[in-house]
Amino acid sequence: MAKDTPPRWDRRMQQRLARGEAAALGELYDRFAPLVRSLAHRVLDDDEAADRVTKDVFSHVWDNPGTYDPKQGSMRSWVANITREMAVDRFRRTEAEAYEASGEGTAEELEQKIRQASAAARADYIVRSMPTPLWAALELAYFRRRNYRQAAADLGVSEDEARRRLRLGLQLLATADLRAADGFPPPGSGRTR
């Protein structure tokens, strides 16, 4: 799994972009283009649209390097968030046009599709950013059908550590819940819509 870039690199990259260094944009593109394209494709399910969003994201980053705040998170997260927003906006426009042209479906169904696309992009980013030990435990438990004892043996860790990794991995994935992705409280928080 990919790791977030170090904060020092993020600050230097922002400074280089602010100075207008084209080489910085190239370096940023080389590092994050696969992530950006993958997230855009996850939302749009269209190669051409994902390529266009990728270009738009890096154009936005080039034009607006000052909007990145290292105190708010990594540059990777910032770029991923820009990608999700642009891809969801494009998806919203495309689906609204299709909705108007066909007259099929309701506005609520359209919004539900948009929420699902946004949550899918967030889940993809979470999985791609998840630390390898957490992802390895989830992969064993959910794709290979191992219980926590078997996962602990496979990973060479204690049963308590395997349970901890599974719990943390699931907590991270739970943040991609549809309601949480749209600003609604997560399940079990005691608040209602």
Side-chain angles (χ1 to χ4, degrees):
M1 306 278 29
K3 291 184 179 179
D4 275 349
T5 57
R8 174 194 261 160
W9 184 90
D10 292 349
R11 286 189 298 274
R12 279 187 291 142
M13 177 57 68
Q14 179 191 29
Q15 292 165 352
R16 291 175 62 202
L17 289 168
R19 286 191 303 261
E21 288 184 32
L25 183 62
E27 186 180 327
L28 190 77
Y29 183 88
D30 290 345
R31 184 174 288 217
F32 296 134
L35 169 69
V36 169
R37 190 175 187 294
S38 173
L39 292 176
H41 193 275
R42 179 69 170 105
V43 172
L44 301 165
D45 195 25
D46 179 331
D47 289 336
E48 283 184 39
D51 289 341
R52 183 66 197 148
V53 166
T54 300
K55 290 175 189 172
D56 291 346
V57 166
F58 286 99
S59 177
H60 176 83
V61 167
W62 178 252
D63 292 339
N64 303 286
T67 60
Y68 169 64
D69 181 1
K71 294 175 185 169
Q72 297 297 316
S74 70
M75 185 163 282
R76 177 186 175 88
S77 294
W78 179 64
V79 169
N81 192 48
I82 292 168
T83 303
R84 187 181 64 81
E85 288 174 6
M86 287 186 170
V88 168
D89 285 346
R90 181 175 289 268
F91 183 78
R92 177 176 274 121
R93 285 191 311 270
T94 303
E95 289 296 315
E97 289 169 5
Y99 168 74
E100 287 180 19
S102 70
E104 294 179 15
T106 65
E108 292 81 25
E109 290 171 341
L110 174 63
E111 284 304 313
Q112 180 65 19
K113 283 177 83 172
I114 292 166
R115 282 192 300 273
Q116 288 172 339
S118 179
R122 181 160 168 69
D124 272 4
Y125 175 71
I126 290 168
V127 167
R128 287 174 156 272
S129 301
M130 188 177 288
T132 302
L134 301 184
W135 173 245
L138 288 175
E139 183 179 30
L140 287 169
Y142 290 93
F143 297 118
R144 297 188 187 171
R145 304 281 187 200
R146 304 272 202 262
N147 65 32
Y148 75 91
R149 287 186 178 104
Q150 294 166 325
D154 290 350
L155 295 170
V157 298
S158 70
E159 291 178 6
D160 285 341
E161 178 62 14
R163 280 194 302 257
R164 186 187 73 78
R165 290 179 184 182
L166 287 167
R167 184 180 63 251
L168 289 173
L170 289 172
Q171 286 172 340
L172 282 172
L173 284 174
T175 65
D177 179 79
L178 285 177
R179 290 169 287 182
D182 284 339
F184 295 109
S189 67
R191 294 176 39 200
T192 59
R193 289 168 78 170

